[in-house]
């Protein structure tokens, strides 16, 4: 379906049968399914269809197309991509279901096919550094039992040997053979780099990788497998970094949205500042001609975080002065230096514990100023399949919540409990309620219930290369400068440390639970009301 494309299907009631954004499980990697997983409406995943145009057309079993700008989250919901999607839909004959396909503009409208021989293509496809997308169907090996044991590469070879009972996608195979031949010289190039010890003497660069739009990957190790800091590329444990049935690798998708010829750097979430951390750097390969510049592949490297950070600090101390000395540098205690990415996450900081943290949590005043100045845009995102932990005093409360006649009672009881906690948090009447609350919290339980959340995402403005700003604090003015690093998605931020602006507080990406008020009429869209600690809004729907 292309880099960002996908297929989906819904019932005649608008509920999702299949969609890559469907979240049926309570926790990732667990087997326990949500009780509401089978009644997720299409409007909850394609939530930017404000007038339900796409949903209504599919529910009415129409055939047609629809276009809209969408905000798609990637990397566990922490990053956002702004895309323009074209949707195509039709009914499925003999069923109450409708099928839809989403294709992002700029991707998926071109394919590459060259005049290469089958023998040459098969030879290069069998190189040890070549891997085909494990979940893609180049050949159908499930139809006949004798084919079940075949890998996709073995199935392709058998197909060209004239196996009559093997059904294969001839066009896709021709394209992947072409990719194998075109990318074959990389193996020799990477091998020469590995043999040249001076190029990677400190073994900072661990892996070089390439992926093509036909699901072909080439992976080259510059260290022994047991020396790898992160083995996700080899094991495929993290689905984000490999081709899967419904998406391209994350490093491929993000590189595709960068300016041609630039690299995108990222720190995988969850790695933190441990010595297992790595930095990924990838770039899209465009086929440039007079009409379009379609993306043929993406290429990149995995390097140790410590290696990358050391390179940054070395570069920050180099100055253009004749004596090579800097009038001011990041070693100065009066300034703080950061390296952040285009979504505002810290890759390098003097305080190692801030690695991977959102910049607004470390420097709230500066992040607020960057947003107000337009250097970063704040994007509101929604998760209508979220899970919230609800406090219940006893196990009986959970049962009453499931019973319609006690729903109102349970809601009021829950609100009273939360109100007590609210008073305690703000030190109001704490002398009265403190003992009661502590006992309730110790003896009570929490349960997971479906809820809806709103949370912010942040994206840098590409056209702004450098910004200088001042922040008025209580008794001083805090100065800062942010500059885009050429040919990358990175920014260097230098901040004056002599002025304390801690009163501004942090800027976080924490989600906020939302409650809905249903609109009059037969529409299913809901208007969100944010529930905060200082204002309450309760909606009870009684069937």
């Amino acid at each position: 379906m292309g880099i960002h494309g996908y297929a989906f299907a819904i019932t005649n009631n608008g509920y999702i049968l299949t969609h890559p954004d469907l979240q049926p499980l309570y926790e990732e990697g667990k087997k326990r399914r949500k009780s509401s997983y089978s009644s997720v409406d299409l409007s909850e995943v394609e939530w930017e269809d404000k007038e339900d145009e796409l949903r209504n057309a599919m529910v009415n079993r129409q055939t047609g197309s629809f276009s809209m700008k969408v905000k798609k989250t990637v990397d566990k919901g922490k990053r956002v991509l702004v895309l323009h999607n074209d949707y195509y839909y039709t009914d499925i004959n003999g069923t109450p279901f409708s099928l839809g396909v989403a294709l992002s503009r700029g991707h998926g409208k071109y394919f590459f096919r060259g005049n290469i021989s089958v023998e040459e293509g098969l030879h290069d496809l069998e190189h040890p550094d070549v891997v085909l997308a494990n979940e893609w169907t180049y050949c159908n090996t499930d139809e006949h039992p004798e084919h079940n044991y075949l890998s996709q590469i073995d199935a392709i070879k058998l197909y060209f040997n004239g196996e009559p009972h093997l059904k294969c996608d001839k066009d896709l195979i021709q394209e992947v053979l072409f990719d194998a031949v075109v990318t074959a010289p990389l193996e020799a190039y990477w091998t020469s780099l590995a043999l040249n010890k001076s190029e990677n003497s400190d073994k900072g660069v661990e892996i070089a990788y390439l992926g093509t739009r036909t699901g072909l990957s080439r992976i080259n190790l510059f260290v022994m497998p047991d020396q790898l800091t992160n083995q996700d590329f080899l094991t495929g444990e993290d689905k984000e970094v490999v081709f899967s049935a419904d998406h391209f690798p994350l490093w491929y998708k993000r590189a595709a949205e960068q300016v041609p010829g630039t690299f995108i750097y990222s720190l995988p979430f969850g790695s933190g500042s441990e010595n297992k951390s790595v930095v990924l750097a990838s770039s899209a390969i465009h086929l440039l001609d007079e009409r379009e510049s379609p993306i043929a592949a993406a290429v990149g490297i995995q390097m140790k975080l410590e290696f990358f950070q050391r390179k940054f600090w070395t570069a920050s101390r180099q100055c253009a002065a004749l004596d090579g000395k800097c009038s001011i540098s990041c070693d100065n205690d009066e300034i703080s230096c950061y390296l952040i990415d285009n979504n505002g996450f810290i890759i390098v900081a003097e305080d190692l514990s801030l690695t991977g943290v959102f910049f607004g949590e470390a420097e709230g005043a500066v992040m607020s100023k960057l947003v107000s100045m337009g250097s970063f845009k704040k994007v509101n995102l929604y998760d209508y399949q979220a899970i919230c932990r609800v406090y219940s005093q006893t196990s009986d409360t959970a049962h009453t919540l499931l019973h319609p006649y006690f729903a109102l009672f349970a809601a009021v009881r829950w609100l009273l409990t939360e109100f007590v906690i609210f008073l305690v948090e703000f030190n109001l009447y704490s002398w009265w309620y403190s003992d009661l609350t502590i006992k309730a919290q110790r003896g009570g339980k929490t349960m997971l219930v479906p809820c809806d959340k709103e949370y912010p995402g942040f994206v840098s403005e590409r056209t702004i290369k450098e910004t200088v700003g001042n922040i008025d604090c209580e008794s001083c003015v805090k100065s800062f400068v942010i500059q885009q690093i050429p040919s990358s998605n990175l920014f260097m931020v230098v901040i004056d440390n002599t002025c304390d602006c801690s009163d501004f507080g942090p800027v976080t990406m924490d989600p906020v639970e939302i409650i809905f008020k249903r609109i009059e009429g037969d529409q299913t869209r809901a208007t969100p009301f944010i529930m905060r600690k200082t204002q309450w809004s309760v909606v009870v729907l009684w069937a």
Side-chain angles (χ1 to χ4, degrees):
M1 297 295 178
I3 298 174
H4 303 290
Y6 56 91
F8 59 97
I10 66 171
T11 69
N12 56 345
N13 290 315
Y15 292 146
I16 294 173
L17 281 174
T18 177
H19 193 289
D21 292 335
L22 179 64
Q23 304 167 31
L25 304 179
Y26 275 102
E27 296 178 272
E28 188 177 351
K30 304 295 183 180
K31 293 184 178 181
R32 186 185 172 200
R33 289 183 177 272
K34 299 176 185 175
S35 59
S36 58
Y37 83 95
S38 60
S39 57
V40 177
D41 196 271
L42 181 65
S43 62
E44 296 180 61
V45 292
E46 300 290 350
W47 49 267
E48 284 166 302
D49 180 15
K50 304 298 183 184
E51 305 300 325
D52 285 335
E53 185 175 341
L54 173 65
R55 180 192 181 280
N56 291 340
M58 294 185 69
V59 167
N60 293 328
R61 303 176 60 74
Q62 297 174 2
T63 297
S65 61
F66 170 74
S67 300
M68 67 177 174
K69 284 189 176 180
V70 298
K71 294 182 281 289
K72 288 292 183 181
T73 60
V74 295
D75 211 355
K76 301 176 175 63
K78 293 182 179 290
R79 304 186 188 277
V80 58
L81 299 176
V82 180
L83 307 171
H84 196 143
N85 279 359
D86 294 324
Y87 295 86
Y88 304 89
Y89 51 85
T90 189
D91 65 306
I92 303 176
N93 290 334
T95 75
F97 309 138
S98 291
L99 174 70
V101 171
L103 298 177
S104 293
R105 289 190 182 177
H107 306 296
K109 294 185 180 295
Y110 297 90
F111 61 86
F112 304 86
R113 190 179 300 157
N115 295 322
I116 53 103
S117 66
V118 172
E119 292 76 14
E120 185 182 14
L122 290 176
H123 174 267
D124 290 333
L125 197 64
E126 291 185 288
H127 282 199
D129 66 328
V130 171
V131 178
L132 292 186
N134 185 45
E135 297 178 353
W136 287 25
T137 304
Y138 302 86
C139 292
N140 187 353
T141 59
D142 296 328
E143 190 169 339
H144 294 280
E146 63 269 22
H147 299 148
N148 291 344
Y149 68 93
L150 294 175
S151 68
Q152 286 296 314
I153 292 180
D154 289 337
I156 292 173
K157 291 166 57 179
L158 192 61
Y159 169 73
F160 282 112
N161 285 333
E163 170 58 45
H165 301 296
L166 193 60
K167 295 180 180 179
C168 298
D169 186 334
K170 184 177 181 180
D171 291 336
L172 180 59
I173 290 177
Q174 287 178 336
E175 292 169 31
V176 80
L177 291 180
F178 173 70
D179 285 356
V181 173
V182 170
T183 61
L186 272 178
E187 183 182 17
Y189 172 69
W190 285 336
T191 301
S192 67
L193 288 179
L195 294 175
N196 188 352
K197 301 296 184 181
S198 62
E199 292 288 340
N200 193 30
S201 57
D202 50 7
K203 298 182 179 179
V205 177
E206 299 182 329
I207 300 176
Y209 52 84
L210 168 127
T212 75
R213 83 271 174 237
T214 60
L216 180 144
S217 299
R218 286 185 180 271
I219 300 174
N220 187 86
L221 299 183
F222 293 105
V223 297
M224 298 300 294
D226 59 347
Q227 296 177 320
L228 285 173
T229 307
N230 188 319
Q231 297 195 0
D232 286 344
F233 270 97
L234 298 185
T235 61
E237 289 185 8
D238 185 358
K239 291 289 186 180
E240 292 275 21
V241 301
V242 296
F243 287 97
S244 72
D246 57 12
H247 68 72
F248 275 52
L250 176 61
W251 49 268
Y252 197 125
K253 291 194 290 187
R254 294 190 64 207
E257 299 309 308
Q258 280 290 108
V259 176
T262 63
F263 270 81
I264 189 160
Y265 297 81
S266 63
L267 183 70
F269 288 110
S271 56
S273 58
E274 304 171 5
N275 54 8
K276 289 187 176 181
S277 300
V278 295
V279 174
L280 303 181
S282 58
S283 181
I285 299 174
H286 294 252
L287 179 67
L288 300 175
D289 59 26
E290 295 179 355
R291 300 163 299 165
E292 301 284 348
S293 57
I295 296 173
V299 64
I301 60 172
Q302 172 181 299
M303 64 190 112
K304 294 179 181 178
L305 174 61
E306 180 271 335
F307 167 80
F308 181 79
Q309 291 174 333
R310 189 170 68 250
K311 291 289 186 182
F312 170 76
W313 293 124
T314 300
S316 69
R317 297 186 183 99
Q318 295 176 354
C319 297
L322 293 176
D323 58 1
K325 296 181 179 180
C326 303
S327 58
I328 187 171
S329 73
C330 292
D331 295 329
N332 194 319
D333 292 336
E334 294 183 352
I335 63 172
S336 291
C337 297
Y338 297 91
L339 189 67
I340 66 175
D341 66 18
N342 60 312
N343 296 118
F345 291 98
I346 298 172
I347 294 182
V348 181
E350 294 161 274
D351 181 357
L352 291 178
S353 66
L354 295 177
T355 305
V357 174
F358 179 60
F359 181 67
E361 296 184 15
E363 299 284 352
V366 177
M367 191 68 208
S368 296
K369 189 69 173 181
L370 290 174
V371 172
S372 65
M373 295 171 68
S375 294
F376 274 80
K377 295 179 181 177
K378 182 180 178 181
V379 180
N380 290 327
L381 305 167
Y382 299 94
D383 184 359
Y384 295 121
Q385 303 174 73
I387 291 295
C388 294
R389 291 187 179 275
V390 174
Y391 175 79
S392 64
Q393 286 186 335
T394 67
S395 59
D396 293 337
T397 308
H399 296 294
T400 59
L401 285 174
L402 299 177
H403 200 292
Y405 296 103
F406 295 101
L408 181 59
F409 170 76
V412 173
R413 186 176 179 180
W414 175 75
L415 284 174
L416 287 175
T417 304
E418 288 297 306
F419 186 66
V420 171
I421 297 173
F422 157 74
L423 292 176
V424 173
E425 286 183 349
F426 282 85
N427 296 317
L428 299 174
Y429 305 105
S430 59
W431 57 272
W432 183 14
Y433 284 111
S434 59
D435 292 339
L436 174 64
T437 306
I438 291 171
K439 290 178 182 177
Q441 287 176 335
R442 286 176 179 173
K445 296 180 180 179
T446 58
M447 57 184 179
L448 300 177
V449 297
C451 64
D452 304 290
K453 293 181 179 180
E454 178 188 39
Y455 61 99
F458 295 85
V459 183
S460 64
E461 175 53 57
R462 288 177 175 174
T463 59
I464 299 179
K465 305 300 181 184
E466 181 176 285
T467 300
V468 178
N470 296 307
I471 306 167
D472 291 326
C473 302
E474 285 190 352
S475 58
C476 58
V477 176
K478 192 180 193 71
S479 301
F480 69 90
V481 60
I482 178 172
Q483 189 172 44
Q484 187 178 121
I485 296 179
S487 301
S488 77
N489 68 318
L490 301 179
F491 296 83
M492 183 174 180
V493 188
V494 180
I495 303 172
D496 173 20
N497 266 343
T498 58
C499 180
D500 183 13
C501 284
S502 56
D503 290 341
F504 274 81
V507 176
T508 72
M509 298 181 66
D510 294 339
V512 178
E513 186 178 354
I514 54 180
I515 292 181
F516 297 96
K517 179 180 179 182
R518 195 145 315 258
I519 298 175
E520 295 294 331
D522 59 354
Q523 297 183 21
T524 58
R525 181 159 300 284
T527 302
F529 288 85
I530 299 177
M531 179 186 286
R532 302 186 186 276
K533 291 181 179 178
T534 55
Q535 61 185 44
W536 298 79
S537 176
V538 181
V539 178
V540 178
L541 300 179
W542 197 267

